Amino acid sequence: MNRYFPFVNFPLPYAYNALEPFIDEETMHLHHDRHLQTYIDNLNQIMEENPALQKYSLEQLICSWRSLPCHLQTPVRNNAGGIFNHRFYFESMQEPGTPCPAPELFREMRRQFGTPENFRAEFKKAALSVFGSGYVWLISDRGCLKIVTSANQNTPVFHGGSLLLNIDVWEHAYYLKHYNMRAAYIDDWFRVVNWNRAEERFQMRC
Ligand code: MN3
């Protein structure tokens, strides 16, 4: 992923219809080509108008938005987070049925949650608990798995490889196919999770 200005909307790592029938092609077009593109366009415009920001990476902008001038804090946080969170979300999915071994992550999951099914239930509960728009994340805090939520386009403060997985629960992520049934979307999302990608992140953790 490109981490510095100018930010580019790279193609998805799979076809738009690759996640069918769980996540539909039209949603993927709108989500990637319009929603993510808007965050990229907005952040590029902010960076063009404020060249002093151009030396910062996307991650640095997300971690240090509080140190920016007041009028830039919210737009930088929203748009930098919108890019990072969406890239992370799209990279965390794959064509259903693709083998995706994650032995270390599942071993830790069993240790902490008992079974993968218990983990899924906890994660789903958290995803249903997000009021309005936001994300749910699986993070590794010094090797300890935690489920955390974030509002809007906020990104949990992270250190290196500690973010493992996220689900976008903004309505635009599921409304065309699942209408207002977020629970059905969460169940379908579990069918397309790229656990192998989460395992790679888990092994890179700090
Ligand atoms: Mn989204």
Side-chain angles (χ1 to χ4, degrees), residues 53 55-56 59-74 76-77:
L53 297 181
K55 64 177 181 287
Y56 296 115
E59 289 85 348
Q60 286 169 330
L61 291 170
I62 289 168
C63 289
S64 56
W65 59 271
R66 283 185 184 83
S67 64
L68 300 176
C70 285
H71 70 286
L72 291 175
Q73 290 184 4
T74 299
V76 165
R77 187 186 200 194

Side-chain angles (χ1 to χ4, degrees), residues 1 19 37-38 44-45 54 75 126 157 185:
M1 78 167 54
L19 309 181
Q37 186 68 52
T38 299
N44 281 336
Q45 187 178 344
Q54 293 176 14
V157 173
Y185 159 65

Side-chain angles (χ1 to χ4, degrees), residues 31 35 39 86 89 135 153 168 170 172-173:
H31 207 170
H35 289 278
Y39 292 114
H86 278 106
Y89 168 73
Y135 290 79
Q153 290 298 350
D168 183 341
W170 286 58
H172 66 234

